[in-house]
Amino acid sequence: MKPHLPCVLLLSLLAGAALGATPQPKLLLPSFDALADKATESVSITLDSSLLGMAAKFLDPNKPEDAAAREVLAGLQGIYVKSYTFDEDFVYPKADIDNVRKQLAAPGWSRLVEVRSKKEQANVDIYMSVEGEKALGLAIIASEPREFTIVNIVGSVDLDKLHQLEGKFGVPKLELETDAKAKVRPGNQK
Amino acid sequence: MNDHLEDELRRALRPADPGDDFTRKVMARVRSRETTAPAPRTRASHQALRWLPAALAASLLMAIIVKHERIEERTTDERAIEDGLRARDQLLAALQVTSAKLDLAYQAVQNEAR
């Protein structure tokens, strides 16, 4: 039987996609339009590589926060942030968050940190997309009773440099737990 | 009587030499008229006069176009600067949020380790 050429092509494409599936460091974030209406404060930031390049040109090397940001920027291709603050507890839909979590269950993504704080009712998950030894992206899902944040950074991320930014922007160090009740699980490698 | 009158008339109307001074004055007058009199219009100057309004209009149009382009360039530059500064602010805000959430996790990890 002579193989049908379009079928062979289609099958080979599907097989190729399945075998060589490279991790997608850019997540498909929901629009969260309904959340923006309910939120007292909402932040939605979309910075693709061209906007990052434009922003880099306007960073002042004499300002410490700008200089620190410039260091972090090297190797990044995109930063996407959605953050909402509410005046009531848990008004954000879990389904939307679960939808993002599903994308992070795909091969290539690894959960580095999972924080479940009963006291503060705060959950923070940090995921990293890695190929070989190269970091391709980062995702943070942080949910608190009145705040919900998703961060997706595409590119080679340096967590230490990112964390070192703390304080340079005037953000106070947040004390989550003082009595070690936070439930911290190690990341599950996929 | 008639002869006497005739002689009188002849004496009065006889040709007299006006002298060198008169000739010099006349020549001076002629020269002064030559310098103050407008030059007769040539054909070339007539042609130039005909194109003058068009040339003026073209110059005015060019000036308006150049001015408009300069304003446009300045507006584009200002817009690019505004976009760049907005991108910078967004970048700093994004890094601020990221850093704060990372700190939330770091604090929990450190507290757990204690």
Side-chain angles (χ1 to χ4, degrees):
Chain A
M1 191 180 134
K2 196 178 176 184
H4 196 242
L5 187 63
C7 285
V8 170
L9 279 173
L10 185 65
L11 281 173
S12 58
L13 275 173
L14 287 172
L19 289 171
T22 50
Q24 292 297 315
K26 186 178 181 313
L27 301 173
L28 295 169
L29 299 181
S31 65
F32 295 118
D33 287 340
L35 277 188
D37 292 339
K38 288 180 190 170
T40 52
E41 199 181 314
S42 59
V43 176
S44 179
I45 297 171
T46 300
L47 291 166
D48 57 16
S49 57
S50 64
L51 281 172
L52 283 179
M54 193 191 283
K57 286 178 194 163
F58 286 85
L59 289 171
D60 184 355
N62 296 320
K63 289 182 181 171
E65 70 267 26
D66 284 29
R70 188 182 282 272
E71 272 193 39
V72 172
L73 264 185
L76 297 191
Q77 289 140 32
I79 302 179
Y80 308 90
V81 174
K82 286 188 180 285
S83 183
Y84 303 93
T85 309
F86 309 94
D87 52 9
E88 287 175 64
D89 288 357
F90 299 109
V91 289
Y92 49 84
K94 272 196 75 187
D96 282 344
I97 306 170
D98 290 342
N99 183 30
V100 178
R101 280 190 209 280
K102 269 184 201 165
Q103 295 177 54
L104 295 165
W109 280 102
S110 305
R111 183 154 57 192
L112 296 182
V113 179
E114 180 188 6
V115 175
R116 298 287 178 265
S117 165
K118 283 183 182 171
K119 188 183 172 187
E120 302 286 338
Q121 292 181 291
N123 300 331
V124 185
D125 295 307
I126 301 175
Y127 296 83
M128 199 90 172
S129 169
V130 183
E131 192 178 44
E133 289 186 358
K134 193 182 170 194
L136 300 178
L138 173 86
I140 302 171
I141 300 179
S143 56
E144 294 159 77
R146 296 190 175 193
E147 200 179 323
F148 164 59
T149 302
I150 291 184
V151 176
N152 180 206
I153 298 179
V154 183
S156 54
V157 185
D158 189 329
L159 275 179
D160 283 336
K161 278 184 186 171
L162 267 176
H163 186 231
Q164 280 164 17
L165 292 175
E166 186 79 3
K168 289 194 170 117
F169 293 108
V171 180
K173 292 272 183 187
L174 301 169
E175 292 296 330
L176 185 69
E177 296 277 8
T178 50
D179 51 1
K181 276 185 185 167
K183 186 179 172 187
V184 182
R185 293 187 217 152
N188 51 337
Q189 296 289 321
K190 292 190 184 85
Chain B
M1 175 80 183
N2 279 343
D3 289 345
H4 178 70
L5 186 62
E6 205 170 327
D7 288 341
E8 282 289 311
L9 276 170
R10 256 193 208 125
R11 204 172 20 243
L13 296 172
R14 76 177 187 276
D17 185 9
D20 292 337
D21 194 37
F22 177 76
T23 309
R24 194 172 43 81
K25 278 181 183 171
V26 170
M27 288 312 291
R29 179 76 61 89
V30 168
R31 260 184 243 119
S32 75
R33 279 204 182 154
E34 273 176 1
T35 51
T36 53
R41 284 180 181 174
T42 61
R43 199 175 165 195
S45 66
H46 273 289
Q47 290 274 16
L49 277 176
R50 209 167 56 180
W51 286 103
L52 188 65
L56 281 173
S59 305
L60 191 67
L61 191 67
M62 279 298 290
I64 290 169
I65 289 170
V66 168
K67 181 82 178 166
H68 180 74
E69 276 183 7
R70 280 189 186 165
I71 290 170
E72 195 107 311
E73 269 173 27
R74 204 184 308 146
T75 314
T76 311
D77 289 349
E78 281 170 4
R79 209 174 293 142
I81 290 169
E82 273 177 24
D83 289 347
L85 287 173
R86 198 179 303 123
R88 173 194 167 272
D89 290 346
Q90 286 200 333
L91 170 68
L92 294 181
L95 291 177
Q96 184 179 357
V97 171
T98 306
S99 181
K101 296 307 163 194
L102 278 177
D103 197 57
L104 196 69
Y106 271 85
Q107 293 281 331
V109 172
Q110 280 176 357
N111 287 333
E112 182 69 11
R114 273 180 213 149

